[in-house]
Amino acid sequence: MKKLLHADILSERITPEIAQNISRNNVSIMLCDIRSMYNVGSIFRTSDSALLKKVYLCGFTPAPPRAEISKTALGATDTVPWAYYKNAAEAIENIKSNGEKVIALE
């Protein structure tokens, strides 16, 4: 078993153009006030593998492009739709206005 390098992983990923046309699950997540850029990158990677609809970043959660996020996201910031809102309440209003339900987990 060989440990893959970052370049090896990226070479096997789908392109952002193909990702735009993929059927995604009707589930989005919101990251509110997450400090760790590495955790944000990890959540992007997980969202990519689960084909989540969108990632909402709120508050002081760091947003791409950042080297620390990219390091753990492994290209997922280019294939997972995302949006940044300074205020989580504004993001929730926007989500609800699109007819989507909001469920909170901590």
Side-chain angles (χ1 to χ4, degrees), residues 40-99:
V40 172
S42 176
I43 292 169
F44 264 99
R45 194 174 68 242
T46 302
S47 300
D48 187 42
S49 68
L51 292 174
L52 296 187
K53 183 177 175 181
K54 194 165 191 172
V55 173
Y56 293 93
L57 308 170
C58 302
F60 58 74
T61 300
R66 295 293 301 259
E68 298 89 345
I69 295 172
S70 295
K71 181 177 181 174
T72 52
L74 299 173
T77 56
D78 298 327
T79 56
V80 176
W82 64 273
Y84 174 80
Y85 289 86
K86 187 173 184 179
N87 184 306
E90 181 184 330
I92 292 169
E93 279 182 38
N94 187 349
I95 293 166
K96 285 183 175 182
S97 72
N98 292 330

